[in-house]
Amino acid sequence: MKIDRLLGIITILLNSEKIKAKYLAEKFEVSIRTIYRDIEDICKAGVPIITFQGGDGGIGIVKEYKLDKSVLTKNELESILIGLKSIQSMFIDKNIDLLLEKLNPKQEDVISVNNIIIDLASFHQASLKEKIEVIRKAINERKELSFRYYSKTGIYERNIEPYLVIFRLSAWNVLGFCEEENDFILFKLTRMTDIILSDTIFNVRDIPEEKLKKKDFFNDRYTVTMLIDRSLEYKLIDYIEFSSYEITNDNRIKIDMPYINYEFIMQLILSFGDKVEVLSPKHVIEDLKIRVENILNKYK
């Protein structure tokens, strides 16, 4: 929209001594002629624009008019920039780039921002970005989504009313009202394929408060008790705190490890190989025996 472009131009000029019209045209993806018309409109609005002639010329705002930048402290600005830079890794949104430049046009002004990198991407970065863009569009326009979903029980066609994009437990998800389940369900984006944005508009439902709590998206928490060789301690602390386990007399780690996803905990245990001994519960031990036996049978 034009008003957004005008505000963007003013913000850039306020944070720069002078800027070339060509730069503004490329930044806002319009012609140089359009930029000059925008400058005229900005002047009519009472903003004192000044032009600099010559090869090193450009467009600027009278110094006395510039706003006081002390509205945000350096630490506050750094926190905002770090947050914006983190979502850059997963969102296809040119407005984020523009906002970053508005807040910090001179990159050297907030140096410590470059000391922290938050990358929310994964091996599926490209496809996830595209999925998030479609889902956000569906949420904003209140349009239904259909897709194919891969779960442990099979592959299903699903149709949902999307409400929230959620990054939780290192995974991107969409919370939507599923017509098949007649309930709000959390779907992993990596397991969704063939996403289609429907023309069907849905009436907004109230999301039950309990559905917004983390525990209600998953199964109840369970616990598995294990003895693990200390050579795997470096791997274990990726999942639990130091204070949550003890060292036994035979120098092994004893832990009551909580989990919310059964298949995840089974895969983790198997990844420990012969350096783990499960003490309880019994059904986990029996399941491990079956899985190990099946693996052995493949190589007989």
Side-chain angles (χ1 to χ4, degrees), residues 25-37:
E26 292 174 351
K27 172 63 64 176
F28 295 100
E29 298 181 345
V30 295
S31 66
I32 294 179
R33 184 187 296 273
T34 298
I35 291 298
Y36 281 125
R37 285 200 296 264

Side-chain angles (χ1 to χ4, degrees), residues 31 39 62 75 80 116 149 153 155-157 164 223-224 230 259 282:
S31 66
I39 294 299
V62 175
N75 289 337
I80 294 173
I116 298 178
Y149 195 72
T153 57
I155 305 173
Y156 304 97
E157 301 294 330
L164 296 171
T223 302
V224 59
R230 287 203 71 180
Y259 65 91
K282 186 176 180 180

Side-chain angles (χ1 to χ4, degrees), residues 23 94 115 185 192 201 214:
Y23 170 84
K94 292 182 179 180
N115 295 337
I185 305 293
M192 297 168 59
I201 306 295
K214 184 173 78 172

Side-chain angles (χ1 to χ4, degrees), residues 270-296:
L270 289 169
S271 73
F272 292 154
D274 61 354
K275 295 184 178 182
V276 61
E277 178 184 353
V278 177
L279 303 179
S280 67
K282 186 176 180 180
H283 76 272
V284 171
I285 297 174
E286 295 302 319
D287 192 1
L288 278 173
K289 289 180 181 179
I290 294 173
R291 295 185 186 218
V292 172
E293 184 66 29
N294 288 338
I295 293 173
L296 287 173

Side-chain angles (χ1 to χ4, degrees), residues 39-205:
I39 294 299
E40 289 180 9
D41 291 336
I42 292 172
C43 288
K44 292 176 182 178
V47 178
I49 299 292
I50 185 172
T51 58
F52 301 89
Q53 303 301 317
D56 193 37
I59 305 167
I61 293 180
V62 175
K63 290 184 179 180
E64 291 75 12
Y65 184 82
K66 295 197 174 185
L67 299 177
D68 183 1
K69 293 183 181 180
S70 64
V71 177
L72 289 176
T73 66
K74 184 172 182 291
N75 289 337
E76 289 171 339
L77 182 57
E78 286 177 353
S79 298
I80 294 173
L81 292 174
I82 289 170
L84 288 172
K85 283 179 175 291
S86 68
I87 64 175
Q88 257 189 326
S89 62
M90 286 306 301
F91 284 77
I92 303 175
D93 193 341
K94 292 182 179 180
N95 290 326
I96 296 175
D97 299 328
L98 181 59
L99 182 54
L100 281 168
E101 183 162 346
K102 288 180 181 178
L103 292 172
N104 188 38
K106 299 179 181 178
Q107 296 299 316
E108 68 275 10
D109 286 351
V110 190
I111 298 175
S112 63
V113 169
N114 298 322
N115 295 337
I116 298 178
I117 296 177
I118 302 175
D119 192 344
L120 300 177
S122 69
F123 294 114
H124 306 272
Q125 181 177 16
S127 62
L128 281 176
K129 278 188 173 184
E130 294 175 358
K131 291 176 183 178
I132 290 173
E133 184 178 23
V134 173
I135 293 171
R136 289 181 69 199
K137 180 178 176 63
I139 293 173
N140 292 333
E141 297 180 2
R142 299 303 183 194
K143 291 183 177 179
E144 294 184 359
L145 283 176
S146 62
F147 52 89
R148 181 171 296 157
Y149 195 72
Y150 290 74
S151 71
K152 63 181 179 181
T153 57
I155 305 173
Y156 304 97
E157 301 294 330
R158 285 288 181 260
N159 195 79
I160 67 169
E161 302 167 0
Y163 284 84
L164 296 171
V165 175
I166 301 174
F167 182 75
R168 179 170 287 158
L169 297 179
S170 301
W172 286 95
N173 309 269
V174 56
L175 175 66
F177 185 84
C178 180
E179 296 179 357
E180 289 83 356
E181 300 291 338
N182 194 35
D183 196 5
F184 284 92
I185 305 293
L186 197 69
F187 296 93
K188 273 190 173 182
L189 267 60
T190 52
R191 297 180 181 178
M192 297 168 59
T193 63
D194 304 320
I195 300 176
I196 298 176
L197 177 62
S198 169
D199 290 328
T200 304
I201 306 295
F202 63 86
N203 295 320
V204 179
R205 305 171 190 264

Side-chain angles (χ1 to χ4, degrees), residues 227-230 247-254 277:
L227 288 171
I228 302 173
D229 192 285
R230 287 203 71 180
I247 305 301
T248 63
N249 292 332
D250 60 352
N251 201 35
R252 288 193 291 175
I253 298 170
K254 183 177 182 180
E277 178 184 353

